[in-house]
Amino acid sequence: MILQTRGIGKSFGSVVALRDVSMGVAAGEVTCVLGDNGAGKSTLIKILSGVHAHDAGAYLVDGAEVRFSSPREALDRGVATVYQDLAMIPLMSVWRNFFLGSEPRRRLAFDVARARRVAREELRAMGIDIRDVDQPVGTLSGGERQSVAIARAVYFGARVLILDEPTSALGVKQAGVVLRYIARARDRGLGVVLITHNPHHAYPLGDRFLLLNRGTSLGEYGKSDITKEELTGLMAGGAELDELSHELRRP
């Protein structure tokens, strides 16, 4: 395992946001973290990415316990996070956004030619066909912007890629595009953590599934241990879903 949590927990004053959550992320695999709003997914992401420090349990990278104090520390250990807002500037070009904050230099000046070339080559290596790397990133579709963010993280040395609801605001076709790029990152040997509330996106791609509900774990399952229907039922709350179906049925 590249990354593991063992009984991890986090409280904010008297509010317990996360309690006793264990999960693992292996190279070349996708671990899907599923849960409804308020399940604790955001708190877990922030612990993994170094925004928050956990106050219970253990967080391990390459088998050694860590306690990150910033996202930069996490990134230095190969743990990169792509948030929903993507941390991009819409009016800047694709290649400027690709190197934002890590611009290549040549004799103290920004090496523009190299930045354009590398951005184009890295996007192509991920199978991403951007028409023109000089175009503003804001002119790309939602799926294309997600793919640029994924390629950027891979280029800058991510070994674990954490994706925060990457398909939540996308239509069916664009969501499919993003899922293909996630699969390509997995096939390049990265460990991927896919945060989602959509079991239909998670199940085809996932190797492991962690289900959260109100800050607690409902269990971590391998793909051979659970069907898509069982996954959906656990997420929705099977008994509650049956009761709702009964209420909505025509008299």
Side-chain angles (χ1 to χ4, degrees):
M1 292 285 178
I2 305 177
L3 181 154
Q4 287 178 283
T5 67
R6 294 176 182 166
I8 212 163
K10 177 68 179 176
S11 297
F12 298 95
S14 61
V15 177
V16 179
L18 213 61
R19 180 190 293 112
D20 195 25
V21 173
S22 299
M23 63 174 288
V25 184
E29 290 189 359
V30 178
T31 296
C32 298
V33 179
L34 298 104
D36 217 334
N37 293 335
K41 303 191 301 296
S42 294
T43 302
L44 180 60
I45 290 173
K46 287 175 180 176
I47 291 172
L48 298 180
S49 62
V51 175
H52 293 323
H54 56 288
D55 48 31
Y59 178 14
L60 299 91
V61 175
D62 297 323
E65 279 200 45
V66 296
R67 183 177 289 272
F68 297 138
S69 59
S70 71
R72 172 53 62 182
E73 282 190 21
L75 197 55
D76 288 344
R77 294 294 296 270
V79 180
T81 304
V82 177
Y83 292 99
Q84 289 185 50
D85 62 9
L86 302 179
M88 290 187 179
I89 300 174
L91 294 179
M92 277 190 178
S93 65
V94 171
W95 63 268
R96 285 297 301 269
N97 274 281
F98 192 93
F99 282 99
L100 196 60
S102 302
E103 292 81 0
R105 298 281 170 179
R106 183 181 181 187
R107 296 197 185 104
L108 302 180
F110 189 176
D111 192 342
V112 173
R114 182 185 169 206
R116 281 198 180 101
R117 185 185 73 252
V118 170
R120 189 179 297 111
E121 289 173 353
E122 290 300 314
L123 290 168
R124 191 176 295 131
M126 286 285 290
I128 302 164
D129 184 20
I130 299 296
R131 295 173 294 280
D132 180 5
V133 294
D134 285 307
Q135 71 187 98
V137 81
T139 64
L140 302 180
S141 70
E144 288 173 327
R145 286 196 298 274
Q146 283 282 354
S147 65
V148 170
I150 291 168
R152 179 174 66 184
V154 172
Y155 174 74
F156 283 105
R159 295 187 300 132
V160 174
L161 182 61
I162 303 169
L163 300 166
D164 178 21
E165 298 275 8
T167 61
S168 63
L170 303 180
V172 175
K173 186 175 181 180
Q174 287 297 320
V177 168
V178 172
L179 293 174
R180 287 189 188 95
Y181 294 137
I182 295 171
R184 284 176 184 155
R186 172 202 66 197
D187 293 344
R188 288 179 66 159
L190 275 74
V192 179
V193 180
L194 173 61
I195 314 293
T196 182
H197 63 270
N198 191 328
H200 301 288
H201 291 167
Y203 196 78
L205 195 60
D207 298 287
R208 303 169 189 273
F209 306 93
L210 170 68
L211 285 97
L212 297 178
N213 181 38
R214 298 182 182 179
T216 61
S217 172
L218 299 179
E220 185 183 22
Y221 302 87
K223 194 158 197 169
S224 60
D225 301 325
I226 194 167
T227 66
K228 184 168 70 176
E229 291 70 29
E230 289 169 337
L231 192 66
T232 305
L234 278 171
M235 256 197 83
E240 293 176 22
L241 200 59
D242 289 342
E243 185 178 338
L244 179 61
S245 298
H246 180 71
E247 287 179 19
L248 297 178
R249 195 173 299 129
R250 287 181 182 275

